[in-house]
Amino acid sequence: MNKCSRLLWSSMVMIIITLMFQPSRSDPQINLLNKGCSQYNASNQINFFNNLNDTFADLKSQLTNGSNNHFATAEQARSSDPVYAMVQCRNYLSSADCVACYDAAVSQIRNCSAANGARVIYDGCFLRYESNSFYDQTTLPGNVQICSNRTVSQASAFDAVARTLLNDLELATPKINGYFAAVKRDVDGGTSSIYVVAQCAETISETGCADCLTVANGNIESCLPDGDGRAIDAACFLRYSDTSFFADNQTTNIASFLEGGSSSKNRYIIGGVVGGIGLLLIFLALLIWYQYSRKRKASPRGNVLGGTDLQGPVMYTYKDLKNATDNFSEQRKLGEGGFGEVYMGTLKSGNVVAVKKLSVNSSRVKTEFDSEIRLISNVHHRNVTRLLGCSMRGPDLLLVYEYMANGSLERYLYGDKQGSLNWKQRYRIIFGTARGLAYLHDQFHVRIIHRDIKSSNILLDDEFLPKIADFGLARLLPDDRTHLSTKFAGTLGYTAPEYALHGQLTEKVDTYSFGIVALEIVSGRRSGDMTIEPNAEYLLQQAWKLYESNMHLTLVDETIDPNEYTPEEVKRVIEVAISCTQSPPSLRPSMPEVVFMLSSEYPLDQRPPRRPTFMDQENRSPLETSTATADSSMSRATDTITDVTGR
Ligand SMILES: *[C@@H]1O[C@H](CO)[C@@H](O)[C@H](O)[C@H]1NC(C)=O
Ligand SMILES: *[C@@H]1O[C@H](CO)[C@@H](O)[C@H](O)[C@H]1NC(C)=O
Ligand SMILES: *[C@@H]1O[C@H](CO)[C@@H](O)[C@H](O)[C@H]1NC(C)=O
Ligand SMILES: *[C@@H]1O[C@H](CO)[C@@H](O)[C@H](O)[C@H]1NC(C)=O
Ligand SMILES: *[C@@H]1O[C@H](CO)[C@@H](O)[C@H](O)[C@H]1NC(C)=O
Ligand SMILES: *[C@@H]1O[C@H](CO)[C@@H](O)[C@H](O)[C@H]1NC(C)=O
């Protein structure tokens, strides 16, 4: 009885929903699929709202009388708190409906008030803005399918046609100018139909569109044989339905885009042709895919889709991590980082991880810790160590990182492996470190300044590629004065003078430290080491003198075989490293510029570096005159986590 009435009720709801989404003459299709606000607010809200309003006005005018009235991007970055925004309507909407959908999205997204990023996805359009450019993003965690839970009547016939058509659209759409396709196909000899739409953001590449749609198709397939399915992702959209949601005269002819490519039909034929071994391989691949997709489903899925919202880290229990590290035994201790001791742990799954035990009073920092950890766990770059999870309950805060068997660069420069890195490996470490920093500074949606780049914070993976460690608890780029405090967190010898002396923190502090590390890698000499005779001088002084007198090749570590490098390569690296250590900070290149300068396309001598400032010298001229406010902020003791732990 109860079940029966529920069934009746739900089918009534379905009918109403279906009626609501029947295409009518004018329908902006503002059925909300997904929305999210960043948990970070803009710092200067006046600038932010000015930028946001200008950007939204720009988008609207492009939709109204631009040449493309279904897609637009606009940005306003002339002051602080830049805004980058993108709007896209499904191409089957009329211009008026597109603008109506956009207007609805704007009023919806304004609910996020001053959040520095937000997104709204409707059936008819989507709108997103961020504080960084995201136009080239394709598929991101948070991609998900939305199913109707209403099974169609001729399930198997529908299912088969739907899969073929979805595969065809996955294949064809990236090749279509404008990345949009809408197709209607008959099911069961024309007794019913299926309608499918695929679309990518117009700013991504063809392969980016293909990647995104592959993920979307994988997601949406799990809706079948429901009558409706949608897949959303950062830069693409896929929707099918047994009910028409676009006019019949809006369809795309995709036949010509399927020729040559392996259309789904061809795929089946190929599948039939390959022999037993081939089938076995396919079976294995399917098994792996099944395991993978199961794992993906089981893991907590955040509501992410780009920077707008952050996925949380995996939570471990204190007990599990205690067991994994044999109760934090001495034998398992890997070292002592800036923020606490690090242990090698073996999880129940057999995975080996590095567990960092933070030396902080856990109860006092919980709230900041939580948001900081959520942020760090979303940092993914191959030159940055990955935070896998954490434990927040228990006597200590614990962080779980991926384990790097080769240990730190310091070990290879000065430790038991001294002298074992060849030139190519060293060059790759320098280049990879620059890329990791460029990511933290410019490509992650919140700017992260490391503040303590040094050789012991650069870990090496199995292939001797670098991964930046310990960035986790570095503060986000302070946007306002209250954040500007910071006790001196760097390490002497690596720290930019303006930061060491005045606490002035910008991302150029990392550029400086990077330059020093690069010189260490080239020379195999410690930056803070004064023992070199006859005239005791620091590495940076020595490097500058040699560079100035065109004797820079003398700086190269004697353990490197001179046949391995060319003088130009060495000169390029030393020149870039010295540019990174100049003062004032504005003279130093940004890390993305460093990446470019290290690549061979960049002409040497393009930007000859000026003499760096040496910390220990009388001559601190560019710095002495700088602000007094920074001095006072330096002495201000705050209770925040990085100040407690940063040394
Ligand atoms: C962001 O600003 C809104 C209103 O301006 C406020 O309610 C919210 O608490 C702020 N969030 C954070 C994380 O500061
Ligand atoms: C931006 O637009 C909103 C909504 O139209 C308005 O309430 C707000 O005052 C505007 N802010 C600025 C700084 O122009
Ligand atoms: C669009 O048209 C309106 C009204 O004619 C005009 O005010 C506006 O400047 C135009 N915008 C663009 C981008 O052409
Ligand atoms: C968000 O904005 C929309 C449109 O202005 C409004 O209808 C809705 O109630 C708001 N939602 C919340 C949660 O504030
Ligand atoms: C369909 O079912 C899933 C799982 O039971 C649920 O999460 C989802 O909200 C349902 N979708 C609709 C549209 O009811
Ligand atoms: C498509 O058909 C509708 C009526 O169903 C008509 O109003 C519209 O003009 C047609 N569009 C095109 C591009 O032919």
Side-chain angles (χ1 to χ4, degrees):
M1 188 63 193
N2 200 358
K3 206 173 175 184
C4 191
S5 65
R6 207 184 299 158
L7 206 81
L8 217 112
W9 174 234
S10 66
S11 51
M12 258 172 66
V13 169
M14 272 310 155
I15 289 168
I16 292 169
I17 289 177
T18 317
L19 284 177
M20 271 171 59
F21 297 120
Q22 284 291 356
S24 58
R25 178 147 289 165
S26 165
D27 179 5
Q29 300 194 344
I30 50 174
N31 171 42
L32 184 62
L33 300 178
N34 184 286
K35 64 173 179 175
C37 311
S38 161
Q39 56 178 321
Y40 297 97
N41 279 342
S43 53
N44 181 330
Q45 303 206 350
I46 295 175
N47 282 348
F48 168 74
F49 280 115
N50 275 327
N51 288 339
L52 189 72
N53 288 6
D54 286 358
T55 309
F56 283 170
D58 188 349
L59 289 181
K60 182 152 179 173
S61 94
Q62 290 184 55
L63 291 182
T64 334
N65 42 5
S67 57
N68 179 348
N69 50 19
H70 285 90
F71 180 78
T73 61
E75 55 277 315
Q76 199 48 262
R78 57 173 177 225
S79 55
S80 75
D81 299 273
V83 172
Y84 295 79
M86 179 189 287
V87 60
Q88 182 167 42
C89 292
R90 315 303 163 211
N91 292 22
Y92 57 75
L93 288 191
S94 69
S95 300
D97 282 343
C98 175
V99 171
C101 190
Y102 170 72
D103 285 343
V106 168
S107 81
Q108 177 74 250
I109 217 165
R110 286 210 187 260
N111 288 354
C112 291
S113 73
N116 68 354
R119 107 189 84 79
V120 174
I121 305 176
Y122 289 132
D123 270 337
C125 66
F126 90 90
L127 173 65
R128 178 178 173 196
Y129 72 83
E130 300 290 343
S131 55
N132 281 332
S133 172
F134 58 91
Y135 303 156
D136 58 351
Q137 288 180 357
T138 56
T139 172
L140 286 173
N143 61 74
V144 76
Q145 69 280 5
I146 300 155
C147 312
S148 67
N149 301 345
R150 172 182 55 91
T151 309
V152 294
S153 42
Q154 318 96 317
S156 66
F158 183 80
D159 189 298
V161 177
R163 279 174 205 275
T164 311
L165 184 50
L166 287 166
N167 287 342
D168 285 352
L169 278 191
E170 177 192 330
L171 214 63
T173 311
K175 299 179 193 159
I176 299 173
N177 199 9
Y179 298 144
F180 175 84
V183 177
K184 175 189 178 185
R185 247 177 225 177
D186 287 341
V187 180
D188 223 7
T191 52
S192 60
S193 301
I194 175 164
Y195 302 81
V196 179
V197 156
Q199 186 174 36
C200 291
E202 293 182 21
T203 43
I204 62 177
S205 66
E206 186 178 325
T207 42
C209 178
D211 290 347
C212 193
L213 287 175
T214 302
V215 172
N217 195 9
N219 285 334
I220 208 171
E221 275 184 341
S222 66
C223 286
L224 288 166
D226 286 359
D228 289 280
R230 296 157 174 99
I232 55 169
D233 204 336
C236 65
F237 177 74
L238 196 53
R239 177 182 177 188
Y240 77 82
S241 178
D242 63 345
T243 325
S244 156
F245 58 95
F246 51 85
D248 283 4
N249 61 7
Q250 294 284 358
T251 55
T252 318
N253 184 356
I254 58 168
S256 60
F257 299 101
L258 295 173
E259 285 158 11
S262 64
S263 97
S264 49
K265 274 186 202 132
N266 293 348
R267 262 185 246 163
Y268 294 136
I269 294 165
I270 292 165
V273 171
V274 288
I277 293 169
L279 280 176
L280 195 72
L281 282 176
I282 291 171
F283 176 70
L284 276 174
L286 277 175
L287 197 74
I288 291 165
W289 174 80
Y290 177 70
Q291 295 276 10
Y292 169 75
S293 61
R294 249 173 39 140
K295 218 182 275 164
R296 237 173 29 149
K297 293 234 166 75
S299 69
R301 270 202 165 183
N303 177 20
V304 189
L305 283 189
T308 301
D309 217 341
L310 294 172
Q311 204 166 22
V314 176
M315 292 293 170
Y316 293 94
T317 67
Y318 189 83
K319 200 171 130 236
D320 281 349
L321 294 180
K322 190 173 151 189
N323 291 340
T325 56
D326 297 340
N327 195 14
F328 305 105
S329 71
E330 274 303 309
Q331 290 85 0
R332 287 198 162 248
K333 195 158 156 183
L334 295 170
E336 201 145 342
F339 303 96
E341 289 143 345
V342 186
Y343 299 87
M344 182 172 138
T346 312
L347 299 175
K348 276 193 211 132
S349 62
N351 289 343
V352 179
V353 293
V355 179
K356 175 166 285 193
K357 191 164 148 189
L358 290 185
S359 46
V360 290
N361 178 341
S362 61
S363 63
R364 214 174 34 166
V365 298
K366 271 274 163 60
T367 45
E368 284 141 88
F369 185 76
D370 185 42
S371 64
E372 200 94 357
I373 294 306
R374 281 174 73 79
L375 185 90
I376 306 165
S377 66
N378 279 278
V379 172
H380 303 300
H381 188 275
R382 65 174 139 152
N383 297 119
V384 172
T385 50
R386 185 75 206 280
L387 178 74
L388 302 173
C390 66
S391 157
M392 314 236 284
R393 293 205 191 100
D396 302 287
L397 295 172
L398 303 175
L399 298 181
V400 179
Y401 289 96
E402 56 183 344
Y403 173 71
M404 293 292 129
N406 279 330
S408 78
L409 173 63
E410 187 179 37
R411 182 176 169 220
Y412 281 81
L413 290 181
Y414 322 113
D416 57 333
K417 298 281 186 181
Q418 183 167 9
S420 62
L421 291 176
N422 64 31
W423 171 255
K424 202 169 162 202
Q425 288 168 327
R426 291 185 200 225
Y427 180 80
R428 281 167 35 175
I429 292 168
I430 293 171
F431 195 69
T433 306
R435 296 221 319 200
L437 279 173
Y439 172 81
L440 292 176
H441 288 176
D442 259 54
Q443 284 143 30
F444 191 55
H445 78 110
V446 173
R447 178 167 290 177
I448 296 177
I449 304 178
H450 188 293
R451 303 202 275 180
D452 201 10
I453 290 293
K454 54 183 172 184
S455 53
S456 60
N457 270 340
I458 294 167
L459 305 183
L460 300 178
D461 72 6
D462 299 342
E463 289 163 12
F464 296 100
L465 295 177
K467 291 200 185 245
I468 298 169
D470 244 1
F471 70 95
L473 303 164
R475 197 72 66 73
L476 323 175
L477 177 66
D479 286 324
D480 58 41
R481 287 268 137 195
T482 58
H483 286 180
L484 215 138
S485 65
T486 84
K487 213 172 74 181
F488 172 58
T491 304
L492 227 68
Y494 292 95
T495 310
E498 78 280 2
Y499 185 43
L501 297 174
H502 302 294
Q504 287 173 349
L505 180 61
T506 64
E507 73 274 20
K508 298 290 181 67
V509 162
D510 288 345
T511 305
Y512 183 96
S513 309
F514 167 82
I516 300 290
V517 170
L519 290 177
E520 289 191 316
I521 294 172
V522 171
S523 66
R525 190 189 153 187
R526 274 188 199 276
S527 66
D529 199 351
M530 279 270 270
T531 53
I532 302 251
E533 299 299 335
N535 2 330
E537 54 190 4
Y538 287 108
L539 173 61
L540 182 56
Q541 288 170 288
Q542 185 197 16
W544 171 254
K545 274 192 193 161
L546 292 174
Y547 171 80
E548 218 180 10
S549 52
N550 215 17
M551 304 224 325
H552 47 271
L553 286 182
T554 322
L555 192 68
V556 179
D557 192 338
E558 291 157 358
T559 65
I560 306 178
D561 179 353
N563 296 319
E564 284 182 5
Y565 54 82
T566 65
E568 290 77 38
E569 277 176 319
V570 170
K571 181 164 188 216
R572 177 185 303 277
V573 171
I574 292 176
E575 201 166 282
V576 171
I578 290 177
S579 313
C580 289
T581 58
Q582 298 171 106
S583 288
S586 57
L587 285 179
R588 296 172 207 153
S590 69
M591 289 312 297
E593 284 171 326
V594 169
V595 172
F596 177 61
M597 288 162 75
L598 284 171
S599 70
S600 51
E601 290 119 72
Y602 185 80
L604 277 173
D605 300 322
Q606 174 93 349
R607 231 203 232 184
R610 300 212 313 218
R611 181 178 186 282
T613 311
F614 308 121
M615 270 284 288
D616 60 313
Q617 289 196 336
E618 315 292 292
N619 179 9
R620 289 171 179 167
S621 45
L623 299 160
E624 281 321 18
T625 52
S626 50
T627 67
T629 51
D631 270 329
S632 63
S633 63
M634 218 179 125
S635 54
R636 197 194 317 157
T638 58
D639 291 337
T640 55
I641 178 165
T642 24
D643 292 329
V644 175
T645 56
R647 279 167 224 166

